[in-house]
Amino acid sequence: MSEDGAGAATETFVAHRNLLFTVAYEMLGSAADAEDVLQETWLRWVEVDLEQVRDRRAYLVRITTRQALNRLRAMSRRKEAYVGSWLPEPLLTAPDVAEDAMLAESVSTALMLVLETLSPTERAVFVLREVFDVGYEEIAAAVDKSAAAVRQIAHRARKHVDARRPRQAVSAAQTRAVLESFRGALESGDPQELLAVLAPDVVLVADGGGIKQAALRPVAGAVKVARFMVGGIGKNDRKNLPMTLAPTVVNGSPALAVHLDGELDGIMTVRVEDSRITGLYYVRNPEKLARVASEIPLALR
């Protein structure tokens, strides 16, 4: 590639890097793997004859999707051996991401967990079509299917996701208010205060990755979740480890950063419906906490 061509390739890649990262992350749920996909995309991109590329952005998305699909299939085998429940890697996002309803929902923990129930191809098609509004022909080229097949896959994936996603849109302000009540209840250690903010059918999912102690299976029901949370705080008290809960913005939604004795212990995110918490997600695996120290830029376009 000529010097001018290399410069143009670099300029185009940098211009779309945030978009490509967001595509890869939404397909994989792992920022570390998404970064690897971007590296693989770059290595293939610099080999492309740009004069033959009509739409450079679309071409980059196509390369990224193919690399992410390959990695997603490999990750499914890794997850089978994962210790306990698996949660997406949390990302510290700018406060304005929370105000972009579509972007915030697309990277929310709740939706990312729903996407985990799709096949790799279904996930790729759903993400490209529903989140990034990519045309069927372009998606077909990315996933090596016909446009007609992609339309059927998109319909099936959308129906599957719609049946499992939150029933109502909840603003960042509403989530923040519920989370503040939850934070106060946790700090008080009063189970009754916790029960007031938890939905009866709330589910707690904790991810320790076999490194940090966490419930190996989801905990269901308000009473059990409240008991589990208060019991965990009690253990910290007995060890004389001061706990602090700091508001933050993770994956486009208000969240809590939990510190024990000044050290980051984990990130809590929630799913809110009817002003109560229906899903509580706690990532403690230290290998998944690297990207909550500085903001990660995301983009849909």
Side-chain angles (χ1 to χ4, degrees):
M1 181 180 287
S2 68
E3 187 174 330
D4 288 345
T10 301
E11 183 180 346
T12 303
F13 186 85
V14 170
H16 297 300
R17 189 188 188 286
N18 294 345
L19 166 68
L20 302 178
F21 176 85
T22 309
V23 169
Y25 175 74
E26 292 199 18
M27 284 185 60
L28 301 170
S30 165
D33 285 285
E35 291 287 0
D36 287 344
V37 163
L38 258 61
Q39 181 64 25
E40 293 160 2
T41 298
W42 166 252
L43 293 175
R44 283 159 177 76
W45 175 242
V46 294
E47 297 297 324
V48 172
D49 181 357
L50 297 187
E51 292 184 1
Q52 303 301 315
V53 178
R54 179 178 55 83
D55 185 334
R56 295 180 183 182
R57 173 186 177 276
Y59 200 93
L60 276 167
V61 169
R62 184 188 307 177
I63 298 174
T64 300
T65 300
R66 286 178 173 172
Q67 299 310 310
L69 264 175
N70 292 338
R71 190 162 287 260
L72 186 57
R73 292 174 179 128
M75 283 177 67
S76 64
R77 293 189 289 272
R78 277 171 25 205
K79 288 174 187 175
E80 289 175 2
Y82 197 80
V83 177
S85 299
W86 184 95
L87 287 171
E89 184 177 352
L91 305 178
L92 182 67
T93 47
D96 61 345
V97 173
E99 304 307 322
D100 185 332
M102 186 170 183
L103 178 56
E105 190 207 7
S106 72
V107 294
S108 68
T109 304
L111 183 61
M112 296 285 279
L113 285 175
V114 174
L115 297 184
E116 283 293 311
T117 63
L118 296 172
S119 72
T121 300
E122 286 174 337
R123 184 166 184 166
V125 169
F126 180 88
V127 166
L128 292 178
R129 182 62 188 165
E130 297 298 319
V131 179
F132 298 96
D133 197 29
V134 177
Y136 291 112
E137 294 289 345
E138 274 298 323
I139 299 175
V143 301
D144 292 324
K145 302 282 186 183
S146 69
V150 164
R151 286 179 183 275
Q152 291 182 335
I153 294 170
H155 175 75
R156 185 169 66 244
R158 189 184 312 116
K159 185 176 180 181
H160 179 94
V161 172
D162 286 346
R164 292 162 177 79
R165 74 198 320 168
R167 296 184 299 273
Q168 56 186 226
V170 179
S171 70
Q174 290 173 306
T175 301
R176 198 175 296 115
V178 172
L179 203 56
E180 188 58 33
S181 297
F182 175 73
R183 177 188 178 193
L186 266 185
E187 290 176 338
S188 74
D190 184 347
Q192 292 306 313
E193 284 190 37
L194 272 177
L195 289 173
V197 76
L198 298 175
D201 57 350
V202 62
V203 176
L204 163 68
V205 182
D207 179 346
I211 302 171
K212 286 282 193 77
Q213 185 176 0
L216 294 178
R217 289 178 294 277
V219 179
V223 173
K224 288 183 179 179
V225 170
R227 188 182 301 133
F228 183 89
M229 297 302 297
V230 171
I233 293 170
K235 288 179 183 178
N236 296 328
D237 288 341
R238 289 192 292 275
K239 294 177 182 177
N240 296 316
L241 296 177
M243 182 184 75
T244 58
L245 303 166
T248 185
V249 179
V250 169
N251 287 54
S253 299
L256 292 175
V258 182
H259 290 81
L260 290 179
D261 199 24
E263 295 284 332
L264 180 65
D265 181 74
I267 296 291
M268 283 188 188
T269 55
V270 295
R271 169 173 168 166
V272 173
E273 296 180 72
D274 297 322
S275 298
R276 294 180 119 181
I277 295 173
T278 57
L280 180 58
Y281 314 107
Y282 190 15
V283 177
R284 294 194 73 204
N285 183 347
E287 295 179 351
K288 292 186 176 183
L289 298 176
R291 285 158 180 87
V292 293
S294 57
E295 290 179 2
I296 304 295
L298 302 174
L300 292 182
R301 299 288 176 266

